[in-house]
Amino acid sequence: MTKNISSLFKYLLILSFLHVSSFADNLHANIVGKNQYKIIDNTKNLTILKQKGGYATSSLFEGESAIRWAKKFSIVELGDINDDKLTYKRLKKDGILSIKRHIAYDWMPAFYYYTDGGNSGFVSWLYKHRRFATLNPNGPFIHCKENHYDWCKDYYYNLGNKEVFRHRVDNLIHTIKQKGFNGVFFDWASGGYILQKEYKSIFARFKQLNPHKNYFSLVAKFYKILRQRGVFVVTNQAFRKHAYLLPFVSYDMTESYITDTKQIQKKIQVQGVGWVNNVEITNYYPIYDDSHILNDSLAFINLLTNYKKEYQKYGFKNFIYMNYLAPVYKKVYSSGLLYRETKPKNGIYFSYAMAKLTNNLVYAEVPQNHKLERDNIYFYKLGRVLGKSYLILKNIGGYVRFYKNGFVLTCKAYKHDVYLSISSKFLPQNTDIYDAYNKVWLKDRNRRLTVKLHFIQNQFTKEYLPLGRVYLYKN
């Protein structure tokens, strides 16, 4: 992610915060004593509304639990469209065809040519005609080299050539139908790679072959035609060329705008892994190297919310916030250096609540162990949003967004518990409210609720962490 942003962009980010201030009258919140926090004891007949999850990634090759998890969602990305093991027979056998949007992954601007053979007919055709079909017929093969792939060369489509463009679209649609998918997630979706310094020769080749064409207009045309031909299109960071691309896609993904992972030097023994010298931990402030406030993430979230409003008239539906989390490590014994990996619950809730401040789809992966990312939070039915925006909890450095069936809350880190009394016209009158994180029921009295915010520490750095919470009204 770019750490230096222009003065104009900074100005736009500042403006994006101003739209929330005028709605503060809808909320009154203050810190109160512990005695005002009341848990309901008799909860036998209390229930909440649930629904299918919005978006997830999953694999058919990680066991039955992964397949069951995938079926709980409406949109699931299941793997590379060119993976020979992903077949119609496999999708049908595992019941994947019942998922509303079961989509495959595709690398938008380029393809791998396998140097040892085994290439598809389409790739073989591209390679044979690479002088006009690709933008780097003689290299450089930047992606394969950077990743130390000794089995491939990465070639970049010359989308300015009508024959290449037509074959690219036709081959993709044929493969989608043959394998039983009904949509595609496109990586490198904006095409912005071509403006990066290391791709200078590739961009020069594009301009040489297509002196009167705009690369990003061609990418937009690619998505537009796919949509016209019935392909459900999800993109990765197409917002970076939003004016060209967002009118022609259904969903666009951000990555690591709320959480990411980072390594610290720490020698421990991990159960089932062994001794390690470096440990992944969750980074709650991923925007800049020196980030330490939630506003850094919210500024970008606000900007994307403005894009969402701008392009919904064209059929753009929403952003998907993809975040990455590290496991939480718990000591197996009180003494010693043996740890086991556990679910990063605080990170999952924080990721979810931050994204739901502006009503986006959201998912958090735990790349080291995908089983640890699974949580019921994705199945709570918040319903429609209330109010024009999220509201600021000025006295605790937090934010809240109300929905028909509940609300979400985020807050900066504290070194002690905070008991917060919230009053709003958006709260229902005298109802029972479920604190999903703590799995307790609370009582709303005259549209006022007191919640307990308990902050945890990173197990190695001892840094206190921000939190996210979800509260749901009795069904």
Side-chain angles (χ1 to χ4, degrees), residues 96-245:
I96 299 302
L97 301 179
S98 64
I99 299 173
K100 183 177 181 181
R101 298 293 186 184
H102 45 285
I103 67 177
Y105 169 101
D106 185 72
W107 190 16
M108 188 281 296
F111 62 94
Y112 292 125
Y113 175 77
Y114 302 126
T115 53
D116 290 338
N119 295 287
S120 69
F122 177 54
V123 168
S124 297
W125 180 87
L126 289 165
Y127 182 75
K128 179 180 178 181
H129 301 289
R130 60 189 179 279
R131 296 205 60 79
F132 72 82
T134 75
L135 301 178
N136 58 327
N138 301 311
F141 306 112
I142 299 167
H143 186 69
C144 290
K145 183 178 179 180
E146 284 182 349
N147 290 280
H148 308 290
Y149 297 160
D150 59 2
W151 45 267
C152 68
K153 294 179 179 179
D154 47 308
Y155 288 99
Y156 295 78
Y157 300 108
N158 177 17
L159 295 177
N161 181 280
K162 291 182 179 179
E163 188 177 9
V164 174
F165 191 100
R166 177 173 57 82
H167 279 323
R168 168 79 166 117
V169 171
D170 289 346
N171 176 74
L172 184 60
I173 291 176
H174 170 76
T175 306
I176 291 168
K177 291 181 178 179
Q178 181 187 52
K179 296 198 170 195
F181 291 104
N182 60 11
V184 180
F185 168 81
F186 290 101
D187 207 358
W188 293 35
S190 74
Y193 79 95
I194 205 167
L195 300 180
Q196 295 174 12
K197 183 178 179 180
E198 58 266 43
Y199 290 89
K200 184 178 180 180
S201 65
I202 290 175
F203 191 34
R205 177 72 175 172
F206 171 79
K207 290 190 290 185
Q208 179 188 358
L209 293 174
N210 310 283
H212 304 297
K213 294 182 179 180
N214 180 295
Y215 184 81
F216 302 105
S217 294
L218 291 166
V219 176
K221 181 182 177 183
F222 176 66
Y223 297 139
K224 180 180 180 180
I225 290 176
L226 289 175
R227 173 187 271 186
Q228 289 173 343
R229 293 181 62 175
V231 178
F232 177 74
V233 175
V234 180
T235 47
N236 189 4
Q237 302 182 62
F239 65 81
R240 297 186 182 278
K241 295 294 177 183
H242 57 93
Y244 288 100
L245 307 181

Side-chain angles (χ1 to χ4, degrees), residues 11-25:
Y11 176 69
L12 290 172
L13 293 178
I14 292 169
L15 284 181
S16 70
F17 269 104
L18 299 182
H19 73 291
V20 300
S21 60
S22 61
F23 305 109
D25 289 342

Side-chain angles (χ1 to χ4, degrees), residues 44-59:
K44 184 177 179 180
N45 298 316
L46 299 180
T47 60
I48 55 175
L49 292 172
K50 294 186 178 182
Q51 63 182 5
K52 282 260 188 184
Y55 179 93
T57 57
S58 191
S59 170

